[in-house]
Coordinates of all heavy atoms in Angstrom, one line a residue:
M1 N -27.1 -39.6 92.3 CA -25.7 -39.9 92.5 C -25.1 -39.1 93.6 O -24.4 -39.6 94.5 CB -24.9 -39.7 91.2 CG -23.4 -40.0 91.3 SD -23.1 -41.7 91.8 CE -23.1 -42.4 90.2
A2 N -25.5 -37.8 93.7 CA -24.9 -36.9 94.7 C -25.4 -37.4 96.1 O -24.7 -37.4 97.1 CB -25.4 -35.5 94.5
G3 N -26.7 -37.8 96.2 CA -27.2 -38.3 97.4 C -26.5 -39.6 97.9 O -26.2 -39.8 99.1
I4 N -26.1 -40.5 97.0 CA -25.4 -41.7 97.3 C -24.0 -41.3 97.9 O -23.6 -41.9 98.9 CB -25.3 -42.6 96.1 CG1 -26.7 -43.2 95.8 CG2 -24.3 -43.8 96.4 CD1 -26.8 -43.9 94.5
I5 N -23.3 -40.4 97.2 CA -22.0 -40.0 97.6 C -22.1 -39.3 99.0 O -21.3 -39.6 99.9 CB -21.3 -39.1 96.6 CG1 -21.0 -39.8 95.3 CG2 -20.1 -38.4 97.2 CD1 -20.7 -39.0 94.1
A6 N -23.1 -38.4 99.2 CA -23.3 -37.8 100.4 C -23.6 -38.7 101.5 O -23.1 -38.6 102.7 CB -24.4 -36.7 100.3
A7 N -24.3 -39.8 101.3 CA -24.7 -40.7 102.3 C -23.5 -41.4 102.8 O -23.4 -41.8 104.0 CB -25.7 -41.8 101.7
Q8 N -22.5 -41.6 102.0 CA -21.2 -42.3 102.5 C -20.2 -41.3 103.1 O -19.4 -41.8 103.9 CB -20.6 -42.9 101.3 CG -21.4 -44.0 100.7 CD -20.8 -44.6 99.4 OE1 -19.6 -44.5 99.1 NE2 -21.6 -45.4 98.7
T9 N -20.4 -40.0 102.9 CA -19.3 -39.1 103.4 C -19.9 -38.0 104.3 O -19.2 -37.6 105.2 CB -18.6 -38.4 102.2 OG1 -19.6 -37.7 101.4 CG2 -17.9 -39.4 101.3
Q10 N -21.1 -37.6 104.0 CA -21.7 -36.5 104.8 C -23.2 -36.8 104.9 O -24.0 -36.2 104.2 CB -21.5 -35.1 104.1 CG -20.0 -34.7 104.2 CD -19.8 -33.4 103.5 OE1 -19.5 -33.4 102.3 NE2 -20.0 -32.3 104.2
P11 N -23.6 -37.6 105.9 CA -25.0 -38.0 106.0 C -26.0 -36.8 106.1 O -27.1 -36.9 105.7 CB -25.0 -38.9 107.2 CG -23.6 -39.4 107.4 CD -22.8 -38.3 106.8
E12 N -25.5 -35.7 106.7 CA -26.5 -34.6 106.9 C -26.8 -34.0 105.6 O -27.9 -33.5 105.4 CB -25.9 -33.5 107.8 CG -24.6 -32.8 107.3 CD -23.3 -33.6 107.4 OE1 -23.3 -34.7 107.9 OE2 -22.3 -33.0 107.0
I13 N -25.9 -34.0 104.6 CA -26.2 -33.5 103.3 C -27.1 -34.5 102.6 O -28.1 -34.0 101.9 CB -24.9 -33.2 102.5 CG1 -24.2 -32.0 103.1 CG2 -25.2 -32.9 101.0 CD1 -22.9 -31.6 102.4
A14 N -26.9 -35.7 102.7 CA -27.7 -36.7 102.1 C -29.2 -36.6 102.6 O -30.1 -36.7 101.8 CB -27.2 -38.1 102.4
D15 N -29.3 -36.4 103.9 CA -30.7 -36.1 104.5 C -31.3 -34.9 103.9 O -32.5 -34.9 103.6 CB -30.6 -36.0 106.0 CG -30.3 -37.3 106.7 OD1 -30.4 -38.4 106.1 OD2 -29.9 -37.2 107.9
C16 N -30.6 -33.8 103.7 CA -31.1 -32.6 103.1 C -31.5 -32.8 101.7 O -32.6 -32.4 101.3 CB -30.0 -31.5 103.2 SG -30.6 -30.0 102.4
I17 N -30.7 -33.5 100.9 CA -31.0 -33.8 99.5 C -32.3 -34.6 99.5 O -33.2 -34.4 98.7 CB -29.9 -34.5 98.8 CG1 -28.7 -33.6 98.6 CG2 -30.4 -35.1 97.5 CD1 -27.4 -34.3 98.1
E18 N -32.4 -35.6 100.4 CA -33.6 -36.4 100.4 C -34.9 -35.6 100.7 O -35.9 -35.7 100.0 CB -33.5 -37.5 101.5 CG -34.6 -38.4 101.6 CD -34.7 -39.5 100.5 OE1 -33.6 -39.7 99.9 OE2 -35.8 -39.9 100.2
R19 N -34.8 -34.7 101.6 CA -36.0 -33.8 101.9 C -36.2 -32.8 100.8 O -37.3 -32.5 100.4 CB -35.7 -33.1 103.3 CG -35.8 -33.9 104.5 CD -35.8 -33.1 105.8 NE -34.7 -32.2 105.8 CZ -33.5 -32.4 106.2 NH1 -33.1 -33.6 106.6 NH2 -32.5 -31.5 106.2
W20 N -35.1 -32.2 100.3 CA -35.1 -31.1 99.4 C -35.7 -31.6 98.0 O -36.5 -30.9 97.4 CB -33.7 -30.5 99.2 CG -33.7 -29.4 98.2 CD1 -34.0 -28.1 98.4 CD2 -33.2 -29.5 96.9 NE1 -33.7 -27.3 97.3 CE2 -33.2 -28.2 96.3 CE3 -32.7 -30.5 96.1 CZ2 -32.8 -27.9 95.0 CZ3 -32.3 -30.2 94.8 CH2 -32.4 -28.9 94.3
Y21 N -35.3 -32.7 97.6 CA -35.7 -33.2 96.2 C -36.8 -34.3 96.2 O -37.7 -34.2 95.4 CB -34.4 -33.7 95.5 CG -34.7 -34.0 94.0 CD1 -34.6 -33.0 93.1 CD2 -35.0 -35.3 93.6 CE1 -34.8 -33.2 91.8 CE2 -35.2 -35.5 92.2 CZ -35.2 -34.5 91.3 OH -35.4 -34.8 90.0
Y22 N -36.7 -35.2 97.1 CA -37.5 -36.4 97.1 C -38.7 -36.4 98.0 O -39.4 -37.4 98.1 CB -36.7 -37.7 97.4 CG -35.6 -38.0 96.3 CD1 -34.3 -37.7 96.6 CD2 -36.0 -38.5 95.1 CE1 -33.3 -37.9 95.6 CE2 -35.0 -38.7 94.1 CZ -33.7 -38.5 94.4 OH -32.8 -38.7 93.4
E23 N -39.0 -35.3 98.6 CA -40.1 -35.2 99.6 C -41.4 -35.7 99.0 O -42.2 -36.4 99.7 CB -40.3 -33.8 100.0 CG -41.4 -33.6 101.0 CD -41.5 -32.1 101.4 OE1 -40.5 -31.6 102.1 OE2 -42.5 -31.5 101.0
S24 N -41.7 -35.4 97.8 CA -43.0 -35.9 97.1 C -42.8 -35.8 95.6 O -41.9 -35.1 95.1 CB -44.1 -35.0 97.5 OG -44.0 -33.7 97.0
P25 N -43.6 -36.5 94.9 CA -43.5 -36.3 93.4 C -43.7 -34.9 92.9 O -43.0 -34.5 92.0 CB -44.7 -37.2 92.9 CG -44.9 -38.3 94.0 CD -44.6 -37.5 95.2
A26 N -44.6 -34.1 93.5 CA -44.7 -32.7 93.2 C -43.5 -31.9 93.4 O -43.0 -31.1 92.6 CB -45.9 -32.1 93.9
R27 N -42.8 -32.2 94.6 CA -41.6 -31.5 94.9 C -40.5 -31.9 93.9 O -39.7 -31.0 93.5 CB -41.2 -31.8 96.3 CG -39.8 -31.2 96.8 CD -39.8 -29.7 96.8 NE -40.8 -29.0 97.6 CZ -40.6 -28.6 98.8 NH1 -39.4 -28.9 99.4 NH2 -41.5 -28.1 99.5
Q28 N -40.4 -33.1 93.6 CA -39.4 -33.6 92.7 C -39.6 -32.9 91.3 O -38.6 -32.5 90.7 CB -39.5 -35.1 92.5 CG -38.3 -35.8 92.0 CD -38.4 -37.3 92.1 OE1 -39.3 -37.9 92.8 NE2 -37.5 -38.0 91.5
A29 N -40.8 -32.8 90.8 CA -41.0 -32.2 89.5 C -40.7 -30.7 89.6 O -40.1 -30.1 88.7 CB -42.5 -32.3 89.2
Q30 N -41.0 -30.0 90.7 CA -40.6 -28.6 90.9 C -39.1 -28.5 90.9 O -38.6 -27.6 90.2 CB -41.2 -28.1 92.3 CG -40.7 -26.7 92.6 CD -41.1 -26.4 94.1 OE1 -41.7 -27.1 94.8 NE2 -40.7 -25.2 94.5
R31 N -38.4 -29.3 91.7 CA -36.9 -29.2 91.7 C -36.3 -29.4 90.3 O -35.4 -28.8 89.9 CB -36.3 -30.1 92.8 CG -36.8 -29.8 94.2 CD -36.4 -28.4 94.6 NE -36.7 -28.3 96.0 CZ -36.9 -27.1 96.6 NH1 -37.0 -26.0 95.9 NH2 -37.2 -27.1 97.9
H32 N -36.8 -30.4 89.6 CA -36.3 -30.8 88.3 C -36.5 -29.6 87.4 O -35.5 -29.2 86.7 CB -37.1 -32.0 87.8 CG -36.6 -32.4 86.4 ND1 -35.5 -33.2 86.3 CD2 -37.0 -32.1 85.2 CE1 -35.2 -33.4 85.0 NE2 -36.2 -32.8 84.3
S33 N -37.6 -28.9 87.4 CA -37.8 -27.7 86.6 C -36.9 -26.6 87.0 O -36.4 -25.9 86.1 CB -39.3 -27.3 86.7 OG -40.2 -28.2 86.2
E34 N -36.7 -26.4 88.3 CA -35.7 -25.4 88.7 C -34.3 -25.6 88.2 O -33.7 -24.7 87.7 CB -35.7 -25.3 90.2 CG -36.9 -24.8 90.9 CD -36.9 -25.0 92.4 OE1 -35.8 -25.4 93.0 OE2 -37.9 -24.7 93.1
I35 N -33.9 -26.8 88.3 CA -32.5 -27.2 87.8 C -32.4 -27.0 86.3 O -31.4 -26.4 85.8 CB -32.2 -28.6 88.2 CG1 -32.1 -28.7 89.8 CG2 -30.9 -29.1 87.6 CD1 -32.1 -30.1 90.3
I36 N -33.4 -27.5 85.6 CA -33.4 -27.3 84.1 C -33.4 -25.8 83.7 O -32.6 -25.4 82.8 CB -34.5 -28.1 83.4 CG1 -34.4 -29.6 83.7 CG2 -34.7 -27.7 82.0 CD1 -33.1 -30.2 83.1
A37 N -34.1 -25.0 84.4 CA -34.2 -23.6 84.1 C -32.9 -22.9 84.4 O -32.6 -21.9 83.7 CB -35.3 -23.0 85.0
V38 N -32.1 -23.3 85.4 CA -30.9 -22.6 85.7 C -29.7 -23.0 84.8 O -28.8 -22.2 84.6 CB -30.5 -22.8 87.2 CG1 -29.9 -24.1 87.4 CG2 -29.6 -21.7 87.7
M39 N -29.8 -24.1 84.1 CA -28.7 -24.6 83.3 C -28.3 -23.6 82.2 O -27.1 -23.4 82.1 CB -29.1 -26.0 82.6 CG -29.2 -27.1 83.6 SD -27.5 -27.7 84.1 CE -27.9 -29.0 85.2
P40 N -29.2 -23.0 81.5 CA -28.7 -22.1 80.4 C -27.9 -20.9 80.9 O -27.1 -20.3 80.2 CB -30.0 -21.6 79.7 CG -31.0 -22.7 80.0 CD -30.6 -23.2 81.4
Q41 N -28.1 -20.5 82.2 CA -27.4 -19.4 82.8 C -25.9 -19.7 83.0 O -25.1 -18.8 83.1 CB -28.0 -19.0 84.1 CG -29.4 -18.5 84.0 CD -30.1 -18.3 85.4 OE1 -29.4 -17.9 86.3 NE2 -31.3 -18.6 85.5
Y42 N -25.6 -21.0 83.0 CA -24.2 -21.4 83.3 C -23.7 -22.4 82.2 O -23.1 -23.4 82.4 CB -24.2 -22.1 84.6 CG -24.6 -21.2 85.8 CD1 -25.9 -21.2 86.3 CD2 -23.7 -20.2 86.3 CE1 -26.3 -20.3 87.3 CE2 -24.1 -19.3 87.3 CZ -25.3 -19.4 87.8 OH -25.7 -18.5 88.8
S43 N -24.0 -22.0 81.0 CA -23.7 -22.9 79.8 C -22.2 -23.1 79.6 O -21.8 -24.0 78.9 CB -24.4 -22.4 78.6 OG -23.9 -21.1 78.2
D44 N -21.4 -22.3 80.2 CA -19.9 -22.5 80.1 C -19.5 -23.7 81.0 O -18.3 -24.1 80.9 CB -19.2 -21.2 80.5 CG -19.3 -20.1 79.5 OD1 -19.8 -20.4 78.4 OD2 -19.0 -19.0 79.9
F45 N -20.3 -24.2 81.8 CA -19.9 -25.2 82.8 C -20.6 -26.5 82.4 O -21.7 -26.5 81.8 CB -20.3 -24.9 84.2 CG -19.6 -23.6 84.7 CD1 -20.2 -22.4 84.6 CD2 -18.3 -23.7 85.2 CE1 -19.6 -21.2 85.0 CE2 -17.7 -22.6 85.7 CZ -18.3 -21.3 85.6
K46 N -20.1 -27.6 82.8 CA -20.7 -28.9 82.6 C -21.9 -29.0 83.5 O -21.9 -28.5 84.6 CB -19.7 -30.1 82.9 CG -18.5 -30.1 82.0 CD -17.7 -31.3 82.3 CE -16.5 -31.4 81.4 NZ -16.7 -31.9 80.1
P47 N -23.0 -29.7 83.0 CA -24.2 -29.8 83.8 C -24.0 -30.4 85.2 O -24.6 -29.9 86.2 CB -25.1 -30.7 83.0 CG -24.6 -30.5 81.6 CD -23.2 -30.3 81.7
A48 N -23.1 -31.3 85.4 CA -22.8 -31.9 86.7 C -22.3 -30.8 87.7 O -22.6 -30.8 88.9 CB -21.8 -33.0 86.6
V49 N -21.5 -29.9 87.2 CA -20.9 -28.8 88.0 C -22.1 -27.9 88.4 O -22.1 -27.4 89.6 CB -19.8 -28.1 87.3 CG1 -19.3 -26.9 88.1 CG2 -18.7 -29.0 87.0
V50 N -22.9 -27.5 87.5 CA -24.1 -26.7 87.8 C -25.0 -27.3 88.8 O -25.4 -26.7 89.8 CB -24.9 -26.3 86.5 CG1 -26.1 -25.5 86.9 CG2 -24.0 -25.6 85.5
L51 N -25.2 -28.6 88.7 CA -26.0 -29.3 89.6 C -25.4 -29.4 91.0 O -26.1 -29.1 92.0 CB -26.3 -30.8 89.2 CG -27.1 -31.6 90.1 CD1 -28.5 -31.0 90.4 CD2 -27.3 -33.0 89.5
L52 N -24.1 -29.6 91.1 CA -23.4 -29.6 92.3 C -23.5 -28.2 93.0 O -23.8 -28.2 94.2 CB -21.9 -30.0 92.2 CG -21.1 -30.0 93.4 CD1 -21.6 -31.0 94.4 CD2 -19.6 -30.2 93.1
G53 N -23.3 -27.2 92.3 CA -23.5 -25.8 92.9 C -24.9 -25.6 93.4 O -25.1 -25.0 94.4
Y54 N -25.8 -26.0 92.6 CA -27.2 -25.9 93.0 C -27.5 -26.6 94.3 O -28.2 -26.1 95.2 CB -28.1 -26.3 91.9 CG -29.5 -25.7 91.9 CD1 -29.7 -24.3 91.5 CD2 -30.6 -26.4 92.3 CE1 -30.9 -23.8 91.5 CE2 -31.9 -25.8 92.3 CZ -32.0 -24.5 91.9 OH -33.3 -23.9 91.9
L55 N -27.1 -27.9 94.3 CA -27.3 -28.7 95.6 C -26.6 -28.1 96.8 O -27.1 -28.1 97.9 CB -26.7 -30.1 95.3 CG -27.6 -31.0 94.5 CD1 -26.9 -32.3 94.2 CD2 -29.0 -31.3 95.1
E56 N -25.4 -27.6 96.6 CA -24.6 -27.0 97.7 C -25.3 -25.8 98.2 O -25.3 -25.5 99.4 CB -23.2 -26.7 97.3 CG -22.3 -28.0 97.2 CD -20.9 -27.7 96.9 OE1 -20.5 -26.7 96.3 OE2 -20.1 -28.6 97.4
G57 N -25.9 -25.0 97.3 CA -26.7 -23.9 97.7 C -27.9 -24.2 98.6 O -28.3 -23.5 99.5
A58 N -28.5 -25.4 98.3 CA -29.6 -25.9 99.1 C -29.3 -26.6 100.3 O -30.0 -26.5 101.3 CB -30.5 -26.7 98.2
C59 N -28.2 -27.3 100.3 CA -27.9 -28.3 101.4 C -26.5 -28.2 102.0 O -26.2 -28.9 103.0 CB -28.1 -29.7 100.9 SG -29.8 -30.1 100.5
G60 N -25.7 -27.3 101.6 CA -24.4 -27.1 102.2 C -23.3 -27.7 101.3 O -23.5 -28.5 100.4
Q61 N -22.1 -27.3 101.6 CA -20.9 -27.7 100.7 C -20.4 -29.1 101.1 O -20.3 -29.4 102.2 CB -19.8 -26.7 100.9 CG -18.7 -26.9 100.0 CD -17.6 -25.7 100.0 OE1 -17.8 -24.8 100.7 NE2 -16.6 -25.9 99.3
F62 N -20.1 -29.8 100.0 CA -19.5 -31.1 100.1 C -18.1 -30.9 100.5 O -17.4 -29.9 100.2 CB -19.5 -31.9 98.8 CG -20.8 -32.5 98.5 CD1 -21.9 -31.8 97.9 CD2 -21.0 -33.9 98.7 CE1 -23.1 -32.4 97.6 CE2 -22.2 -34.5 98.4 CZ -23.3 -33.7 97.8
N63 N -17.5 -31.8 101.3 CA -16.1 -31.8 101.7 C -15.3 -32.0 100.5 O -15.6 -32.8 99.6 CB -15.8 -32.9 102.7 CG -16.3 -32.6 104.1 OD1 -16.6 -31.5 104.4 ND2 -16.6 -33.6 104.9
R64 N -14.2 -31.3 100.4 CA -13.3 -31.4 99.3 C -11.9 -31.7 99.9 O -11.5 -31.1 100.9 CB -13.2 -30.2 98.4 CG -14.5 -30.0 97.7 CD -14.5 -28.7 96.9 NE -15.6 -28.5 96.0 CZ -16.9 -28.2 96.4 NH1 -17.1 -28.1 97.7 NH2 -17.8 -28.1 95.5
P65 N -11.1 -32.5 99.2 CA -9.7 -32.7 99.6 C -8.9 -31.4 99.6 O -9.2 -30.6 98.7 CB -9.1 -33.8 98.7 CG -10.2 -34.1 97.7 CD -11.4 -33.3 98.0
D66 N -8.0 -31.2 100.5 CA -7.2 -30.0 100.5 C -6.2 -30.0 99.3 O -5.8 -30.8 98.7 CB -6.4 -29.9 101.8 CG -7.4 -29.6 102.9 OD1 -8.5 -29.0 102.7 OD2 -7.1 -30.0 104.1

């Protein structure tokens, strides 16, 4: 979902997500494991927020309305 949103608003982030996560099945499994492992550290937050923070750390910050 984040990649689809980024593709419409910030193509450079969409390209990064594509390379960072979808490069290969092995990379996808690795990233999935990393994301799952970090979730318990931020259990006060909704999983979507944790994922967004993780993606922004890897690919840059999404634009936000002022």
Side-chain angles (χ1 to χ4, degrees):
M1 180 61 86
I4 292 169
I5 293 167
Q8 295 176 15
T9 60
Q10 291 178 268
E12 67 281 0
I13 291 180
D15 291 342
C16 178
I17 291 170
E18 184 72 25
R19 289 187 311 275
W20 179 81
Y21 189 83
Y22 294 104
E23 180 180 291
S24 69
R27 175 61 59 92
Q28 199 170 350
Q30 175 190 358
R31 297 302 188 205
H32 183 82
S33 295
E34 291 172 6
I35 293 165
I36 295 300
V38 79
M39 289 286 177
Q41 298 172 35
Y42 300 99
S43 61
D44 290 344
F45 299 94
K46 294 185 182 282
V49 173
V50 177
L51 179 58
L52 177 61
Y54 205 76
L55 285 174
E56 286 186 333
C59 291
Q61 188 171 356
F62 281 80
N63 289 334
R64 291 177 173 73
D66 292 333

